[in-house]
Amino acid sequence: KTIYKGAFGENHVFVAGARKNIGMVLAEKGEYAKAMDQFDKAKRIYLAVRGGDSENRDVASAISCMGNVKNRMGELKGALTLYKEALDIYKAIQSRVTTAETKAVAMRDVTATLKVIGMVLAKMGNLDEAMNFFQQAMALLKSNINDASPIDREISGSVLTRMGSIFMKKGQLDQAMDHYQEAYELTVENRGTTN
């Protein structure tokens, strides 16, 4: 951070990236207040560099990192608020991208954020609302199925597993089995099998 700051000044994306990396380490160490401070500073730098434009991946990523810290702290409502703020940004980006590559990245950002929101809602016991977010993620992934990359199949398998877990909790065992089976098949298709 100090080297980048000296070379580029405080308001540079490299400084913001360094702050975000420091925040991730601090979060891993359980130093949540310090981590939040680093992510907030990174977000402010990203905003300054882009003239206040909040509709960019870096700002959304910093906000999502703050959500991760709140989630680790057990402050689920705060995490949910931050994840939804990041989701709004990712959706705004997705609506305006034009190349196949940027569309794929934007789709992954949206689906990953929908998934994490669903996970937090499930943790809070809001199973139906969680399922809604997982279904949104799956609909988006399935709309891109012809161009699905290994990472897209990986995300699909993960979302299907989360959906299966909700069906299990609700005692809907046939639906749980269907989702777990589909997740398994995607995983085998993507990674192979050990037998």
Side-chain angles (χ1 to χ4, degrees):
K1 173 182 83 171
T2 305
I3 292 171
Y4 286 143
K5 190 175 172 181
F8 303 112
E10 179 68 24
N11 285 336
H12 193 280
V13 292
F14 289 171
V15 175
R19 286 194 176 280
K20 208 168 96 176
N21 291 337
I22 291 166
M24 286 188 261
V25 171
L26 290 167
E28 280 297 314
K29 292 172 70 176
E31 297 179 33
Y32 300 129
K34 290 179 181 177
M36 289 294 282
D37 183 56
Q38 291 298 317
F39 294 135
D40 185 58
K41 286 178 180 174
K43 180 183 97 170
R44 284 191 263 140
I45 293 168
Y46 289 133
L47 285 168
V49 168
R50 288 171 174 78
D53 177 20
S54 65
E55 287 186 6
N56 68 74
R57 289 186 80 222
D58 292 326
V59 171
S61 176
I63 292 168
S64 191
C65 287
M66 293 165 72
N68 293 342
V69 172
K70 292 284 187 181
N71 195 355
R72 285 178 178 217
M73 295 170 64
E75 295 179 17
L76 301 181
K77 286 183 181 179
L80 199 55
T81 299
L82 290 163
Y83 290 140
K84 285 181 176 180
E85 183 180 348
L87 179 63
D88 289 342
I89 295 169
Y90 287 135
K91 282 182 172 181
I93 294 167
Q94 183 186 30
S95 73
R96 68 173 196 252
V97 293
T98 56
T99 67
E101 184 178 326
T102 55
K103 285 181 182 182
V105 170
M107 188 263 309
R108 286 185 202 114
D109 288 340
V110 171
T111 55
T113 308
L114 287 167
K115 179 184 135 188
V116 78
I117 290 170
M119 291 166 57
V120 170
L121 288 165
K123 204 185 285 189
M124 294 171 76
N126 300 334
L127 300 183
D128 292 334
E129 195 176 353
M131 182 62 82
N132 178 46
F133 279 89
F134 294 142
Q135 289 169 336
Q136 288 179 56
M138 283 308 300
L140 190 54
L141 288 160
K142 286 182 178 184
S143 73
N144 194 45
I145 200 71
N146 293 333
D147 299 321
S149 68
I151 190 129
D152 297 333
R153 288 190 295 276
E154 198 82 21
I155 295 167
S156 294
S158 176
V159 173
L160 287 164
T161 299
R162 299 291 177 175
M163 293 170 81
S165 296
I166 288 178
F167 284 122
M168 281 285 289
K169 288 177 183 175
K170 294 173 89 174
Q172 298 172 338
L173 303 183
D174 290 338
Q175 289 98 327
M177 180 63 84
D178 291 345
H179 284 78
Y180 287 143
Q181 185 66 37
E182 190 176 349
Y184 169 78
E185 290 167 7
L186 276 171
T187 302
V188 168
E189 176 186 330
N190 215 32
R191 295 181 174 259
T193 182
T194 58
N195 59 5

